[in-house]
Amino acid sequence: MRIEKIGMWMFGVNAVINWTLSLRGIIDPVGYAVAFGGPEPNYPFVLRLWMGLVFMFGIMFWETSRDVRRKAALVKYNWIEKTITAGAVTLGFFAGEVPERLMLLIVFTNWLWIPPLVWFDRTLRRSQQSAPFRGEDGMGVSWG
């Protein structure tokens, strides 16, 4: 399978995951927190803001999935976003601030995705560096 096809699927799936998981948090942050076993938040707007950012990253992932070579500069932000989110939630979990259900969700939507995303980022960068310059941008598009 070509690297572009792998990227299309990886980033497309991540976009859908982000959109799906963030919508309820945007619409009903209190119900969302309670659904994952947490208490009603004191500041629901913070959860709404976080979910809004998750939704926005989903848009960026979708954009990346449409043309991974031309959007290669955006690829690293997928694993960076997941690492920041996973790290913050995991620290919160070990501090007793995050319920088990939310930690389990983070394992499946973030921690398990980080290694393949880092692999993809490195593989894509290597493939772009090793492509011979032929008066084209490496994707068959002439500059002149």
Side-chain angles (χ1 to χ4, degrees):
M1 183 181 294
R2 290 182 46 208
I3 191 79
E4 294 85 358
K5 192 77 157 173
I6 293 169
M8 181 189 80
W9 280 100
M10 285 178 75
F11 295 102
V13 167
N14 271 283
V16 171
I17 288 170
N18 277 37
W19 294 333
T20 303
L21 292 176
S22 65
L23 280 176
R24 179 158 183 212
I26 293 168
I27 296 166
D28 178 21
V30 173
Y32 193 69
V34 172
F36 282 102
E40 289 191 17
N42 292 333
Y43 300 101
F45 80 92
V46 175
L47 184 54
R48 185 176 284 126
L49 173 63
W50 178 30
M51 292 295 100
L53 292 171
V54 169
F55 190 88
M56 183 227 25
F57 271 104
I59 293 169
M60 188 182 74
F61 301 154
W62 185 258
E63 174 97 7
T64 304
S65 78
R66 303 296 79 198
D67 191 342
V68 293
R69 289 216 179 262
R70 290 193 185 190
K71 303 295 181 174
L74 299 177
V75 167
K76 66 183 167 277
Y77 296 108
N78 194 309
W79 64 261
I80 291 170
E81 178 267 334
K82 290 192 177 302
T83 302
I84 290 169
T85 298
V89 172
T90 301
L91 286 173
F93 177 75
F94 287 117
E97 303 166 347
V98 171
E100 289 179 13
R101 277 185 265 171
L102 180 55
M103 187 62 221
L104 187 61
L105 177 71
I106 292 301
V107 167
F108 285 107
T109 61
N110 289 262
W111 283 122
L112 293 178
W113 280 94
I114 294 167
L117 290 166
V118 170
W119 168 84
F120 180 85
D121 187 21
R122 290 184 179 171
T123 302
L124 181 63
R125 288 176 193 273
R126 274 192 227 117
S127 76
Q128 289 180 321
Q129 290 171 352
S130 67
F133 183 75
R134 301 181 315 258
E136 299 176 345
D137 66 3
M139 294 168 271
V141 178
S142 176
W143 290 358

